[in-house]
Amino acid sequence: QEGRWAEADDRYGNWLASFPNHESRPRAEYCRGRAAVGAGLETNAFTYFTNFLAHFPTNDFGPLAQWWVAGYYAREGDMEAAEKNYQLVYQNTNWPTSEVSYQARMMSGRLAFARQGWSDARDYFIKLAQNPSCTNTLRAQAWLAFADTLISQDSTNKVQDYKDALSAIEQVFDLCPTNEI
């Protein structure tokens, strides 16, 4: 909490070495990863989080660790690995569905869009847009991303793509009539 991330990383490491079988080990390992992130030790954080995921695949911190790993791959420019790791956030049946899992699907769609995987992007976005369990704001964002995908994709029927995109955008008004979206 004091922002002394490198010291926190060291202290978590010492604690983990002293208490290898303690019931709080998963939390300490996750927190060590967060401390490494704060200290700018991305490679260490990657190691901590991937080890955490391997050792504690059902832990409540799992989705957050997996999210960070996916983002690491994206920051490193490996968009394929990033997309696959975001998929793991919402595909892992050990973790409950949450806002993080919905956001991970959105990130998968954005990455598919970036690689021009139009079919995949459409699939990611439409599943979010039509999911009543998602917040209206996220659903509206998904409808807009779906419309962008339709407009951007290669197609032999661009007129229909634009009509479908307009229909998608109309959904935004229904979901968020007073929202800045």
Side-chain angles (χ1 to χ4, degrees):
Q1 292 176 338
E2 296 171 351
R4 297 188 330 230
W5 299 110
E7 183 180 340
D9 179 13
D10 288 341
R11 286 189 180 192
Y12 279 119
N14 291 336
W15 187 92
L16 289 163
S18 297
F19 302 99
N21 299 313
H22 196 279
E23 67 183 30
S24 294
R25 185 173 187 86
R27 182 182 183 90
E29 287 199 22
Y30 175 80
C31 289
R32 186 179 191 194
R34 296 298 305 156
V37 170
L41 305 170
E42 292 257 318
T43 304
N44 291 8
F46 179 81
T47 300
Y48 298 155
F49 285 134
T50 54
N51 286 341
F52 170 86
L53 290 163
H55 292 115
F56 308 105
T58 62
N59 188 274
D60 291 345
F61 289 113
L64 297 174
Q66 191 67 62
W67 175 277
W68 190 90
V69 169
Y72 174 85
Y73 281 117
R75 289 186 298 280
E76 292 293 309
D78 188 345
M79 299 306 160
E80 185 177 321
E83 185 177 343
K84 287 179 183 176
N85 278 272
Y86 280 119
Q87 289 172 353
L88 292 174
V89 173
Y90 61 85
Q91 290 175 343
N92 189 324
T93 58
N94 291 318
W95 302 325
T97 301
S98 67
E99 182 64 19
V100 173
S101 54
Y102 297 133
Q103 291 290 341
R105 188 180 293 270
M106 189 71 175
M107 289 302 296
S108 295
R110 289 177 177 148
L111 289 162
F113 183 97
R115 68 173 167 78
Q116 299 181 355
W118 308 122
S119 176
D120 292 337
R122 286 191 316 267
D123 185 55
Y124 292 128
F125 296 139
I126 200 70
K127 283 182 179 171
L128 280 174
Q130 295 178 338
N131 186 339
S133 297
C134 294
T135 64
N136 283 353
T137 300
L138 183 59
R139 291 178 66 200
Q141 291 171 356
W143 278 118
L144 288 173
F146 181 73
D148 285 343
T149 303
L150 293 171
I151 291 168
S152 300
Q153 70 184 1
D154 295 328
S155 173
T156 58
N157 192 348
K158 289 309 287 181
V159 172
Q160 188 61 49
D161 289 346
Y162 279 98
K163 285 180 183 178
D164 292 343
L166 182 58
S167 293
I169 292 169
E170 288 172 353
Q171 298 297 314
V172 175
F173 295 112
D174 292 339
L175 289 168
C176 298
T178 60
N179 187 302
E180 67 183 35
I181 294 174

